[in-house]
Amino acid sequence: FDMIDPKILRSRMVIGYLTKHAKEATGLGKLDTVLNDTGMRDVFILRWCLLVSSKPILPDKVDTKDEEILDKSKLPFDIEPDVLYTFNPFCDKSKAVESFEMKDLEELIVNKKKREDHFYKFTLDYGNKIFKFLCESAEDRDKWIMAIQMSRATVKEIGRSHGAE
């Protein structure tokens, strides 16, 4: 990220820890007619996450002169703009475990916090797959939601402008 002006990067990058909620097969199958174990259990996986957008995504940190569209050539290694990357913080941090392209995102769902919940949640719906993420605070969840919404809108805007040429 050394090639990017820090002021520009500050308004386009969101980083931090998210907990990914997943289902994992237990191999148990159905135990009996009373329990009806589906063979799946909830698993919570801590991930270090990164999203860099082509255009500013954090309005409170935008430099008014920041109009440039950031492309892949200015980003390090295998990082693409407008893709949410997750990394395993306990293993090789240089390789993403998963990536979620904003251009393919069908819906961003904000899950309201219930009293018994310990986390603030949001869901990325890709039509054929759904991914759930948990944050420790409403502020953290809102920051990620704003960044994802702005990045998704940027991808659509760039797509429209390239389609018009």
Side-chain angles (χ1 to χ4, degrees):
F1 294 103
D2 296 337
M3 299 181 296
I4 305 169
D5 179 344
K7 287 181 193 171
I8 291 174
L9 194 57
R10 198 172 18 258
S11 69
R12 295 168 187 245
M13 183 168 70
V14 178
I15 58 173
Y17 286 100
L18 291 172
T19 301
K20 186 175 174 224
H21 178 208
K23 298 282 186 185
E24 183 177 84
T26 62
L28 296 176
K30 286 190 177 185
L31 294 176
D32 62 27
T33 56
V34 176
L35 294 176
N36 281 332
D37 186 356
T38 62
M40 302 299 279
R41 290 219 174 107
D42 288 328
V43 178
F44 300 92
I45 307 162
L46 183 66
R47 293 287 184 234
W48 186 82
C49 301
L50 165 73
L51 173 64
V52 179
S53 182
S54 302
K55 290 180 115 183
I57 54 177
L58 300 172
D60 58 326
K61 297 181 180 176
V62 174
D63 181 346
T64 55
K65 299 175 199 136
D66 186 5
E67 294 296 321
E68 172 189 1
I69 294 176
L70 189 64
D71 64 11
K72 181 175 175 28
S73 66
K74 293 188 178 173
L75 295 173
F77 35 89
D78 295 330
I79 301 294
E80 299 264 346
D82 303 303
V83 176
L84 172 64
Y85 292 95
T86 69
F87 299 83
N88 184 337
F90 307 108
C91 294
D92 183 2
K93 296 178 189 108
S94 67
K95 294 192 183 213
V97 175
E98 291 177 299
S99 59
F100 305 93
E101 293 192 31
M102 295 300 110
K103 70 180 174 81
D104 298 329
L105 180 62
E106 290 188 12
E107 185 177 8
L108 171 64
I109 303 161
V110 180
N111 306 93
K112 298 293 181 200
K113 186 177 188 288
K114 298 177 191 144
R115 188 176 302 206
E116 66 273 10
D117 286 343
H118 298 290
F119 292 99
Y120 295 84
K121 304 173 186 176
F122 66 90
T123 303
L124 302 179
D125 183 350
Y126 281 86
N128 60 344
K129 282 201 158 203
I130 293 176
F131 302 93
K132 297 179 180 184
F133 291 93
L134 299 87
C135 302
E136 291 190 10
S137 70
E139 296 81 22
D140 201 26
R141 181 198 58 198
D142 294 345
K143 172 185 75 172
W144 281 101
I145 288 168
M146 178 184 291
I148 290 167
Q149 287 172 333
M150 297 294 286
S151 181
R152 186 174 175 216
T154 295
V155 167
K156 288 182 178 185
E157 178 187 326
I158 290 171
R160 279 193 301 273
S161 67
H162 286 328
E165 292 174 0

